[in-house]
Amino acid sequence: KENYISDLPGAYTKDDQEKFAKRNAVLSMNKLTELFTCWVVDIYHDDYQDRLQMTPREKWKDCVAMHGSTRLPGSSMDLERLLWRSKSATLQKWGLPFEVLRFKSPALLKLAQRIGFGVKLSFYYNPFNLSTLFVVDPESKEIIEAQCSCSRYRQHTVTLEEHKQLREHINADKRLREMEPDEAFCRAFDFQQKEIVRASISCRPCG
């Protein structure tokens, strides 16, 4: 079971250089998460564990019988909120900044017109999807959604970890550093996707 990750295409041992692994990445973080989730649900849960003296699925059923079932979120949004993390930033004329990204929406603009710019706002974000910030109205406490101004982040599911890798790529490229943030992140994202496809093709077995 501990060999599952190392058996995936493009995996490197801990002795390999980190930069080499990043440069030759075959799987995106989203694809890796998908594969790992399938492995946990379809294989690990039904695999006998010596320390449990049963499978994890059987252990789960025993715990439910003893302590009662776990209350599940009422909706997909409730489930997503369990993943939210909190942060704060100062409202600017062009929107709300977060991790060099810019977030804006008509609702956020209306809030700015009501409370003014330069106000520090609290917001929530999903580290597994940076397409949207969930801003807290300081007066009504209602949640206001603000979308990322970079189109790639709205069109694709970009995680916080993937975003940090894109930032590293931008910081290492002088031409990208001189661009506007939205354009730089779009170009860095497109380059990363091309590299993943290229590496995936080169790792396919012949014949």
Side-chain angles (χ1 to χ4, degrees):
K1 288 169 286 296
E2 61 272 14
N3 293 328
Y4 175 75
I5 299 297
S6 61
D7 288 340
L8 290 174
Y12 294 95
T13 67
K14 61 182 180 181
D15 297 325
D16 291 315
Q17 294 183 5
E18 183 179 357
K19 283 188 176 180
F20 183 75
K22 286 184 178 180
R23 187 171 67 249
N24 294 275
V26 174
L27 298 176
S28 66
M29 183 59 68
N30 289 335
K31 187 61 178 180
L32 176 59
T33 301
E34 177 186 344
L35 292 174
F36 184 73
T37 300
C38 290
W39 174 78
V40 170
V41 173
D42 297 332
I43 299 177
Y44 174 78
H45 278 178
D46 293 313
D47 191 23
Y48 183 85
Q49 304 288 314
D50 290 333
R51 63 187 178 85
L52 297 178
Q53 296 297 301
M54 62 181 68
T55 68
R57 191 184 303 276
E58 292 170 338
K59 184 65 175 179
W60 172 270
K61 291 180 178 179
D62 281 356
C63 290
V64 169
M66 184 179 301
H67 304 290
S69 60
T70 302
R71 184 178 64 84
L72 297 177
S75 66
S76 58
M77 177 55 73
D78 291 338
L79 177 61
E80 182 176 330
R81 289 191 179 199
L82 296 177
L83 304 174
W84 284 4
R85 298 177 185 175
S86 60
K87 200 86 173 179
S88 61
T90 301
L91 183 60
Q92 307 291 333
K93 290 183 178 180
W94 41 258
L96 201 62
F98 174 60
E99 288 285 338
V100 194
L101 297 170
R102 298 179 177 184
F103 293 80
K104 56 186 179 180
S105 69
L108 186 62
L109 178 59
K110 288 183 178 180
L111 175 64
Q113 293 171 342
R114 174 157 50 88
I115 66 175
F117 297 105
V119 178
K120 196 168 187 178
L121 297 177
S122 298
F123 61 87
Y124 298 97
Y125 68 95
N126 182 347
F128 300 102
N129 186 350
L130 295 186
S131 64
T132 306
L133 293 186
F134 304 91
V135 185
V136 180
D137 185 321
E139 296 176 347
S140 68
K141 305 305 179 184
E142 294 181 352
I143 295 295
I144 296 173
E145 294 188 9
Q147 286 71 43
C148 183
S149 58
C150 178
S151 60
R152 300 298 186 275
Y153 283 66
R154 300 194 305 272
Q155 297 164 353
H156 304 272
T157 302
V158 180
T159 68
L160 179 59
E161 183 60 32
E162 290 171 336
H163 170 69
K164 289 180 178 179
Q165 292 176 11
L166 292 177
R167 286 188 65 179
E168 289 181 7
H169 178 73
I170 292 172
N171 290 334
D173 190 317
K174 181 180 179 181
R175 292 175 301 176
L176 293 179
R177 292 199 306 269
E178 295 174 347
M179 295 179 182
E180 287 295 316
D182 288 350
E183 183 180 1
F185 278 108
C186 281
R187 287 178 178 265
F189 179 88
D190 292 342
F191 176 83
Q192 181 192 64
Q193 295 304 303
K194 289 179 181 179
E195 287 298 294
I196 291 175
V197 172
R198 179 193 61 78
S200 177
I201 293 175
S202 65
C203 287
R204 288 176 183 173
C206 298

